[in-house]
Amino acid sequence: MTDIAIVDYGMGNLRSVLKALEHAAPTASIVVTSDPSIVHQAKRVIVPGQGAMPNCMRELDARGLHQVVLEAAANKPFLGICIGLQMLFEESEEGHVSCLNILPGKVVHFPIEAMTTTDGQKLKVPHMGWNQVHQTMAHPLWEGIADNTRFYFVHSYHVETSHLKSIAASSNYPFPFTCAVAQDNIFAVQFHPEKSHASGLRLLSNFAQWTPNFKN
């Protein structure tokens, strides 16, 4: 049985995720796969992704991965990265598409009119580069990672949710936005741990060892 399946639905730099994970969890068996049966059998599942949400949801359906990703998010350790976080929510402004509807909330574009610092400096969209991550809950995946550690971001959209107890971290650009969520066996991040050097590798290592407490 595969220890960790990285879901390949044709979106994102899967090789970077694979190489980082191989370094972070050298004894684990890891595959990049678009085969639903392999995802179903894996002990842990990672859903990364970059690109447009309509394309992501279409490709999940086209490759027969939609249902098996839902099942993984319900019953095994699950890590979402970038769009892998966003797709957990109800809908996205990008293309006005429905997402996986696992968590309440929506994915919205950074509002161009608000992208100004207090001293009048204009901020670019996409939000690209290193930014501090403010941990808002204790969680096994934060173990060994100091609060306000910098992680690498590349995104034009972010999550808005009223489900405050699921928010695991926020970042500022220029206002606070949710950049990590956690619920039961799910942990998902807006930033890219595979591009975030030692701290990102630690988060991936923590995931490879994580045994979540499942809801009854």
Side-chain angles (χ1 to χ4, degrees):
M1 180 183 291
T2 300
D3 290 325
I4 305 172
I6 302 170
V7 179
D8 177 8
Y9 56 103
M11 311 294 291
N13 189 348
L14 300 174
R15 180 175 173 79
S16 292
V17 178
L18 174 63
K19 291 301 179 185
L21 197 57
E22 288 176 338
H23 186 83
T27 63
S29 58
I30 307 162
V31 296
V32 175
T33 183
S34 58
D35 185 335
S37 66
I38 295 176
V39 177
H40 176 73
Q41 295 168 10
K43 295 178 182 177
R44 302 166 189 274
V45 171
I46 297 179
V47 179
Q50 291 175 254
M53 184 67 77
N55 296 339
C56 291
M57 299 309 299
R58 183 181 65 246
E59 289 301 315
L60 275 182
D61 290 337
R63 297 170 188 239
L65 290 164
H66 189 127
Q67 186 59 37
V68 77
V69 168
L70 284 175
E71 291 170 0
N75 61 36
K76 60 184 68 179
F78 180 101
L79 176 63
I81 298 174
C82 196
I83 278 186
L85 173 145
Q86 294 178 4
M87 69 170 55
L88 296 174
F89 290 82
E90 295 168 282
E91 61 182 341
S92 176
E93 271 187 357
E94 188 176 22
H96 302 286
V97 295
S98 297
C99 301
L100 295 177
N101 196 22
I102 294 169
L103 294 172
K106 60 184 179 179
V107 183
V108 300
H109 196 273
F110 280 109
I112 300 301
E113 66 278 4
M115 305 309 293
T116 306
T117 63
T118 54
D119 61 2
Q121 179 183 354
K122 289 190 176 297
L123 297 174
K124 294 180 179 179
V125 176
H127 171 215
M128 183 182 300
W130 296 87
N131 207 343
Q132 287 184 317
V133 169
H134 314 293
Q135 298 171 21
T136 56
M137 72 160 67
H139 194 280
L141 265 68
W142 294 135
E143 184 178 347
I145 301 171
D147 192 19
N148 297 322
T149 292
R150 290 182 177 273
F151 286 86
Y152 190 80
F153 290 81
V154 183
H155 63 121
S156 298
Y157 291 78
H158 66 93
V159 166
E160 285 186 350
T161 180
S162 60
H163 196 242
L164 301 183
K165 66 180 182 179
S166 70
I167 298 174
S170 66
S171 191
N172 291 321
Y173 193 74
F175 51 82
F177 68 90
T178 297
C179 70
V181 295
Q183 178 173 284
D184 302 317
N185 56 298
I186 295 171
F187 195 89
V189 295
Q190 182 63 67
F191 53 82
H192 289 270
E194 77 278 9
K195 298 179 181 179
S196 297
H197 301 166
S199 296
L201 293 175
R202 180 58 189 263
L203 189 147
L204 293 173
S205 176
N206 290 342
F207 173 73
Q209 302 173 65
W210 178 36
T211 303
N213 293 318
F214 288 88
K215 58 189 175 183
N216 296 323

